[in-house]
Amino acid sequence: MTSFTERTKASLREALLDAAADLLPDRGHAALRMADVAARAGVSRQTVYNEFGNKAALTQAVALRTTSEFLDGIRQRFADAGDLLDGIHFAVVYTIEHARENRLVAAALGTEAAEDLLPLLTSRGEPILTAAADLAAEQYLELEPALSPEAAALLAETVVRLSLSHLVLPTHSAVEAADAVLAVLAPAVDRFVRTTDSSTTE
């Protein structure tokens, strides 16, 4: 059973993450002040430092929590899919639509104030990319057991990278972007499945 102290600590952490998530879209990482996060959450500045250590760690924690929420949504889309290609399409549409609707992600992608958050999705986004790709690979294997783990991992990382490119440079609707991703991935999925099937029958 979770102790009262542990529940209190978890509640405090969530309050601090909520405060930072509210402030980051308007200020970005550079202009975010730990004192403002503390004031928004109703605690001392030292409390914020005690919990996260520094501003970079706080910003990363906000990004990871936002990613976790997206991953839960992606997991549900795969659960609703009838097959792998449907699952990929549902997941890409969900990722793009909700990233554009999410205030923090939308700010990172489209405002000057928060443009310094963009590397969390791109050049410094390895933890986020890895988490999304790992989850996708697991779902791919559940929906298409004929895939090898290596093939599933490669396909998943490719889908995640393509989805990020559509987020960073949005030239299509979410559905159109998902259609484009499938146009590229469907032949690859078929090839990997046929390769695995042929190797098991030899």
Side-chain angles (χ1 to χ4, degrees), residues 163-195:
S163 299
L164 282 176
S165 72
H166 281 286
L167 284 176
V168 174
L169 188 61
T171 56
H172 300 85
S173 70
V175 172
E176 290 170 339
D179 288 344
V181 171
L182 274 195
V184 173
L185 264 291
V189 170
D190 182 62
R191 182 174 68 83
F192 280 127
V193 170
R194 284 190 288 104
T195 299

Side-chain angles (χ1 to χ4, degrees), residues 37-122:
V37 174
R40 178 66 64 94
V43 299
S44 69
R45 184 177 66 171
Q46 189 58 48
T47 298
V48 186
Y49 279 105
N50 289 345
E51 185 66 30
F52 293 100
N54 56 54
K55 185 171 68 172
L58 171 59
T59 302
Q60 186 69 42
V62 172
L64 289 174
R65 186 181 70 164
T66 301
T67 300
S68 178
E69 293 168 353
F70 275 107
L71 294 181
D72 287 341
I74 291 172
R75 187 178 289 107
Q76 184 58 53
R77 269 62 193 179
F78 277 111
D80 295 338
D83 58 38
L84 176 56
L85 295 182
D86 279 348
I88 293 174
H89 196 277
F90 293 163
V92 172
V93 170
Y94 170 83
T95 298
I96 294 175
E97 286 184 345
H98 285 261
R100 291 174 181 173
E101 294 169 2
N102 181 280
R103 185 166 172 259
L104 182 61
V105 178
L109 295 172
T111 69
E112 292 183 7
E115 66 182 2
D116 63 357
L117 298 176
L118 184 58
L120 291 174
L121 299 175
T122 53

Side-chain angles (χ1 to χ4, degrees), residues 19-20 23 27 31-43 45 48:
L23 293 168
R27 306 187 184 189
L32 181 71
R33 299 194 314 149
M34 300 291 259
D36 293 335
V37 174
R40 178 66 64 94
V43 299
R45 184 177 66 171
V48 186

